[in-house]
Amino acid sequence: MAFCPSPSSTSSSSSSSSSSSSPFDSSNSAKFWIIHGIMAGAAVAAAVGARAYWTRVKKFRNRVVGIIPARFASTRFPGKPLVEILGKPMIQRTWERAKLAATLDQVVVATDDEKIAECCRKFGAEVVMTSESCRNGTERCSEALEKLGKKYDIVVNIQGDEPLIEPEIIDGIVKALQTTPDAVFSTAVTSLKPEDALDPNRVKCVVDNRGYAIYFSRGLIPFNKSGKVNQQFPYLLHLGIQSYDTKFLKIYPDLQPTPLQLEEDLEQLKVLENGYKMKVIKVDHEAHGVDTPEDVQKIESLMRERNLS
């Protein structure tokens, strides 16, 4: 015989079931809110952490000065900063390009020559006079920084013989140094043209897989056992522009010249030989530095082709 529960027993059973499931529901609800609270807290913590991180990054090495070292007594090209390129001194063209960089708070010319200083003042540049004893552009930047008497975190050494330097490259090496705390130096490279492979005035560079410099040379590097230029290999050309952490720049002049630096006559090798890290960025740029009088005509021809005045 089928059993039919009475209304009272059904009500009692339903009430019993309802009352018996209530602790489980409360427990599950509590767990849900605890987990929800933990996740919400973690999200808030992550957001706060991310904001703090980007605030630190933004503040890290954020005060930047661009210094254009210029000397009259160049061995290869005396008076080079004052040579005219389509009617303007080369130093002026470099200064005008540097002023377009978004990351630079100030741009100055550092020189030991009164003729260069006078020329720069005429077109509106700020000038810092430095001593004739500076052995290279980095030492001249170091002395200029000291004489400026202002607090900067990064100094950008802008080569005065790069009248077509792109402001984006300046900004690129600054940002590279700002985001790489273990590096004290940053610079830029571009693709080397095959015809420049054996030119000692075109400095080559090799980097590791993380974008840190391994070596610079006036010779072709790497150099294969065939002794010939490999047309398929992506050789890198150093653009010369470089930036330094100011704490490092202040001690740079006190570092003794190193064998590789002296042999290659490349100041950046002293940085590597002393165990410091150098961050390298790769850019798409046609290098048009002026090393010899013949280079002036090349620059002017290029500027005419591009309608640059």
Side-chain angles (χ1 to χ4, degrees):
M1 180 183 293
F3 175 71
C4 294
S6 66
S8 61
S9 66
T10 302
S11 174
S12 173
S13 172
S14 173
S15 173
S16 174
S17 172
S18 174
S19 63
S20 65
S21 67
S22 181
F24 293 103
D25 289 345
S26 298
S27 176
N28 288 338
S29 178
K31 287 179 181 178
F32 170 79
W33 286 110
I34 289 172
I35 293 172
H36 181 74
I38 291 172
M39 291 176 67
V44 170
V48 171
R51 183 176 180 180
Y53 169 77
W54 286 113
T55 299
R56 288 197 302 273
V57 168
K58 187 176 180 180
K59 290 183 177 179
F60 183 62
R61 295 172 173 167
N62 66 321
R63 296 165 297 185
V64 187
V65 59
I67 300 179
I68 306 173
R71 64 191 184 102
F72 193 89
S74 169
T75 53
R76 288 178 295 177
F77 194 172
K80 181 167 63 170
L82 301 181
V83 66
E84 288 202 351
I85 297 179
L86 294 186
K88 286 185 182 180
M90 180 166 62
I91 190 73
Q92 179 177 352
R93 291 198 174 277
T94 302
W95 177 80
E96 288 174 347
R97 300 291 290 176
K99 291 284 286 183
L100 298 175
T103 54
L104 301 183
D105 300 307
Q106 185 179 9
V107 179
V108 303
V109 175
T111 185
D112 59 2
D113 187 86
E114 191 55 45
K115 292 187 291 294
I116 293 176
E118 182 181 357
C119 172
C120 292
R121 293 188 187 105
K122 283 181 179 178
F123 62 74
E126 184 177 352
V127 179
V128 178
M129 298 302 296
T130 54
S131 66
E132 295 180 1
S133 62
C134 295
R135 292 170 291 188
N136 51 52
T138 304
E139 290 191 7
R140 199 172 302 282
C141 286
S142 179
E143 184 179 333
L145 174 66
E146 185 178 351
K147 290 188 173 181
L148 279 173
K150 297 180 182 179
K151 287 187 176 181
Y152 287 105
D153 305 304
I154 292 176
V155 171
V156 184
N157 179 346
I158 303 164
Q159 302 293 317
D161 57 6
E162 284 278 352
L164 297 183
I165 186 67
E166 295 171 4
E168 294 79 8
I169 295 177
I170 296 174
D171 292 335
I173 65 168
V174 169
K175 291 173 183 176
L177 200 56
Q178 288 173 332
T179 55
T180 315
D182 61 342
V184 299
F185 188 120
S186 64
T187 190
V189 295
T190 192
S191 297
L192 178 72
K193 295 179 181 178
E195 60 266 29
D196 292 332
L198 303 180
D199 185 348
N201 293 319
R202 300 290 185 251
V203 176
K204 294 80 177 175
C205 175
V206 286
V207 300
D208 67 16
N209 290 334
R210 298 176 59 212
Y212 291 93
I214 298 175
Y215 193 66
F216 296 85
S217 180
R218 294 185 181 278
L220 183 63
I221 51 173
F223 194 71
N224 61 58
K225 62 184 180 180
S226 74
K228 298 177 182 178
V229 178
N230 182 351
Q231 301 291 336
Q232 279 71 50
F233 191 87
Y235 299 104
L236 299 176
L237 172 70
H238 185 219
L239 293 180
I241 187 169
Q242 45 213 23
S243 70
Y244 328 92
D245 178 277
T246 54
K247 295 184 181 69
F248 169 75
L249 185 61
K250 289 175 181 177
I251 68 169
Y252 178 90
D254 297 327
L255 297 175
Q256 291 300 308
T258 54
L260 295 175
Q261 174 204 357
L262 294 175
E263 181 63 21
E264 296 265 16
D265 190 21
L266 296 174
E267 58 195 87
Q268 62 269 34
L269 288 177
K270 184 165 76 167
V271 180
L272 297 180
E273 285 186 88
N274 277 283
Y276 293 98
K277 286 192 173 183
M278 188 182 303
K279 187 67 174 178
V280 180
I281 64 168
K282 173 77 182 299
V283 299
D284 184 15
H285 174 72
E286 283 194 65
H288 297 289
V290 177
D291 296 303
T292 66
E294 292 73 29
D295 291 330
V296 174
Q297 294 179 353
K298 295 177 183 178
I299 288 282
E300 290 184 330
S301 296
L302 180 69
M303 293 178 68
R304 289 190 185 98
E305 290 174 9
R306 297 183 178 180
N307 293 319
L308 299 174
S309 57

